[in-house]
Amino acid sequence: MNTVRILSLSFLILACGAASGQDFDEFVIDAGFRVEQRVLVADLYGDSSREILIAGRDDAHEQHLAIYSLASIRETGAEPLITLNPGPNLIAYDVGRLGDDDALLFIEPGRVLRYSIEDGDFVEFIKIRSIYGQQRSGDILPIDFFRDIDGDGLDDLIVPDTAGYRIRLQKPDGSLGEESLLEESSRMTVTGGVVSFESRPLFSGDTNFDGVTDLGVWRGNTLRVYPQLPGHRFQGKPDIVQLGLDLLSEAEFRALEAAAGSVDQRGLSQKIIISIEDHNGDNLPDILIESTMSMGVFDKRNTLSLHLGRRQGEALIYDEAEDALLASEGLQYGMVATDIDGDGLQDLVVRKVRLSFSRVIRALVSGNVSLRLSFFRMTPDGGYGEEPNYVTRTKVHFSMASGQIDIPAVAVADFDGDGLKDLMIQTRSDRLSLSRGVADENLFSDESTDIEVVLPRNGDLVASEDVDGDGRSDLVMRYTAADGEQAAHIVRLLIASPVSFGK
């Protein structure tokens, strides 16, 4: 193991006044290096306080991972508690709950390491086999390899390997159970003599109705299901579930991908699974399918169809006829499922753009594209209405000269702690608009509050996170060189103010 150098770099943290609108307290962290990874939050000292983990690189491409105390940031401003220089042996990192404490974990070839905050050193957590078989040549990345995979409230170890996912479930005493290898859960491709491996998306749910959560992956028109067995483990060889939903097989889909650019787009129809998760709260995985119809290169439209999982005897089945259909003129994308109104059912957030030759020409001239956000509330029977319950619009701006694209920030989260999701949307380059959630079919209030704040040009870098653990979502922002070289060193926190929200 490489010796980790604890740096005493000078970092400036400025505690700023509340953002305009007085609903959030604003804090700015100047890390002194380019912040290039998403920010993680954890209670690493076990004292109910929170630590902020920031990672990136400096001008010499040296990697840095800095840990800050939220309490110090709020009270006086402070230098980081710890700054690490992760060597190339450290490939990825994550935070998660191990027993009663949060842990900072790293993957290196052959094992997982835990960083001991008390000792300032790395300790071997467990030996593993994984797809990460050699030292990295690029940036260290946050990867969600320690998370609750079976819904029991305990975080588990999920590591991809060339042979499939390797999973160890956490036991109530904080130890890890026996390793389960999910066969056929990875994909190997050979292109131009280059071999690559890819982990298929995992889904979870009670697929055999025994009251515990199983795992699965999908391959074309079939599901590979891995039932959970006694002893905190999963069946290694999958059970096959035939879907019968008129989907392409994996071989057919790959052939279509390989022929891209040489296929006549007129009348071309494609149908693929975009997610498998429980939408209606019965713990059975439901399938959301996207069907795309191309009338030409610049004339495309799609539909989203939901197929609810059902029990038929001892079998999990999906009806060929959809339980809900979301259709509109244009392309729907970026679908997010979340319970907005607190009824235990998954509502949908869908982005939509209209795409045609004339619209592309107008967009090139104007430098912006209209983006529509539609919100669909799930009905008690497990469907969605033909029309959205709430609609709002914004614009994506781009420059033909520089190639820079300005993406508006959008967040759907509970900022006031009332159990209802609120809508935060960027309305100007330096302004956010907050609409509170309401407990009816309208989903959001017509009234809104404006928040003046310095926003990144890429709104995808604005994330909602309960930073201080008070049950209210906050905002975490980072920036790139497109926002200015100094801005790329900045993390901005907007912490929901309990006084302003009436809590």
Side-chain angles (χ1 to χ4, degrees):
M1 179 176 67
N2 292 343
T3 301
V4 178
R5 196 159 45 94
I6 305 300
L7 301 180
S8 58
L9 299 177
S10 176
F11 290 84
L12 176 63
I13 300 183
L14 302 173
C16 303
S20 177
Q22 302 299 304
D23 286 331
F24 294 85
D25 296 322
E26 179 178 348
F27 304 92
V28 178
I29 304 172
D30 186 343
F33 55 81
R34 293 188 188 93
V35 181
E36 297 184 327
Q37 310 302 340
R38 61 185 174 90
V39 176
L40 301 185
V41 179
D43 176 14
L44 297 176
Y45 285 88
D47 56 2
S48 299
S49 179
R50 292 296 182 99
E51 282 69 52
I52 313 296
L53 282 74
I54 299 174
R57 60 181 175 86
D58 58 24
D59 292 339
H61 298 278
E62 188 174 15
Q63 299 285 301
H64 299 273
L65 195 155
I67 302 174
Y68 295 85
S69 164
L70 178 60
S72 295
I73 293 171
R74 300 181 92 164
E75 293 170 5
T76 61
E79 294 186 354
L81 302 172
I82 298 169
T83 301
L84 307 177
N85 279 128
N89 62 303
L90 299 177
I91 298 162
Y93 62 97
D94 194 14
V95 294
R97 195 77 173 168
L98 184 63
D100 296 327
D101 302 311
D102 283 353
L104 173 57
L105 302 174
F106 291 81
I107 289 180
E108 74 169 13
R111 58 181 180 168
V112 175
L113 304 176
R114 179 177 182 178
Y115 183 76
S116 171
I117 296 292
E118 296 78 10
D119 300 331
D121 202 357
F122 292 94
V123 179
E124 182 175 289
F125 177 59
I126 195 168
K127 293 186 182 299
I128 60 167
R129 294 182 60 182
S130 77
I131 204 169
Y132 311 111
Q134 56 183 310
Q135 294 187 348
R136 61 177 168 80
S137 57
D139 297 340
I140 189 170
L141 298 173
I143 296 177
D144 198 12
F145 61 86
F146 196 60
R147 65 184 188 274
D148 182 9
I149 194 69
D150 62 342
D152 64 354
L154 302 175
D155 287 344
D156 312 302
L157 185 66
I158 307 102
V159 181
D161 192 13
T162 56
Y165 283 100
R166 296 183 182 273
I167 295 178
R168 290 181 182 268
L169 296 181
Q170 186 174 170
K171 299 178 180 180
D173 63 2
S175 64
L176 297 183
E178 176 186 343
E179 179 182 270
S180 299
L181 171 62
L182 308 187
E183 301 174 17
E184 305 178 32
S185 60
S186 64
R187 177 192 297 122
M188 183 186 76
T189 58
V190 181
T191 306
V194 177
V195 179
S196 60
F197 291 88
E198 179 184 356
S199 300
R200 303 174 191 274
L202 273 175
F203 70 85
S204 60
D206 185 4
T207 62
N208 57 1
F209 325 113
D210 61 356
V212 296
T213 301
D214 312 307
L215 301 180
V217 299
W218 69 89
R219 292 182 58 176
N221 58 355
T222 64
L223 302 182
R224 264 56 171 177
V225 174
Y226 306 87
Q228 186 172 166
L229 305 175
H232 297 86
R233 59 195 179 94
F234 292 94
Q235 179 177 299
K237 188 173 181 59
D239 295 333
I240 309 299
V241 177
Q242 298 291 337
L243 293 177
L245 297 176
D246 194 28
L247 295 166
L248 294 177
S249 69
E250 191 167 50
E252 290 170 326
F253 183 72
R254 290 297 176 188
L256 189 61
E257 278 189 326
S262 61
V263 174
D264 189 344
Q265 297 290 307
R266 294 168 297 181
L268 179 64
S269 178
Q270 299 182 65
K271 193 174 181 181
I272 61 171
I273 292 175
I274 58 173
S275 75
I276 301 182
E277 60 180 305
D278 178 19
H279 283 259
N280 61 347
D282 62 0
N283 202 30
L284 301 181
D286 308 312
I287 298 179
L288 195 66
I289 292 176
E290 178 186 55
S291 301
T292 303
M293 173 63 73
S294 298
M295 305 307 295
V297 175
F298 294 115
D299 190 357
K300 298 178 185 293
R301 63 202 65 183
N302 65 357
T303 61
L304 301 176
S305 58
L306 177 68
H307 299 260
L308 297 176
R310 290 182 170 85
R311 179 175 182 173
Q312 187 178 79
E314 295 304 311
L316 175 66
I317 66 164
Y318 297 89
D319 291 343
E320 185 175 355
E322 66 275 353
D323 294 280
L325 180 67
L326 278 60
S328 67
E329 294 295 320
L331 279 175
Q332 302 172 109
Y333 73 99
M335 188 277 301
V336 175
T338 183
D339 181 8
I340 296 175
D341 56 356
D343 62 357
L345 306 177
Q346 295 291 294
D347 310 304
L348 292 182
V349 185
V350 182
R351 303 180 189 186
K352 194 195 80 168
V353 295
R354 297 286 295 275
L355 188 63
S356 66
F357 182 76
S358 61
R359 291 178 185 276
V360 170
I361 296 300
R362 288 200 297 270
L364 292 175
V365 173
S366 64
N368 64 74
V369 175
S370 178
L371 178 66
R372 169 173 155 158
L373 288 100
S374 300
F375 298 80
F376 295 85
R377 178 177 181 266
M378 175 167 267
T379 57
D381 62 356
Y384 299 101
E386 293 183 2
E387 296 297 325
N389 297 82
Y390 186 90
V391 175
T392 188
R393 289 173 174 81
T394 185
K395 290 184 180 294
V396 176
H397 299 276
F398 61 91
S399 169
M400 290 295 293
S402 66
Q404 174 66 42
I405 300 176
D406 292 351
I407 301 173
V410 178
V412 180
D414 183 6
F415 294 105
D416 54 9
D418 65 351
L420 303 174
K421 298 289 199 312
D422 312 304
L423 172 62
M424 187 83 77
I425 186 169
Q426 181 176 344
T427 56
R428 212 173 64 184
S429 61
D430 59 352
R431 178 179 293 170
L432 293 167
S433 177
L434 174 64
S435 299
R436 303 286 175 82
V438 294
D440 58 42
E441 63 182 14
N442 294 320
L443 293 180
F444 302 109
S445 170
D446 291 332
E447 299 180 356
S448 61
T449 302
D450 288 337
I451 301 166
E452 305 287 340
V453 64
V454 179
L455 291 163
R457 297 185 70 173
N458 181 0
D460 289 341
L461 300 182
V462 178
S464 59
E465 172 89 32
D466 184 4
V467 175
D468 56 356
D470 67 351
R472 290 180 288 271
S473 291
D474 313 301
L475 290 179
V476 180
M477 306 180 188
R478 55 189 178 92
Y479 304 81
T480 68
D483 302 296
E485 189 58 38
Q486 182 57 35
H489 297 181
I490 294 297
V491 170
R492 177 172 272 103
L493 306 176
L494 292 188
I495 307 295
S497 170
V499 175
S500 299
F501 279 117
K503 300 293 182 182

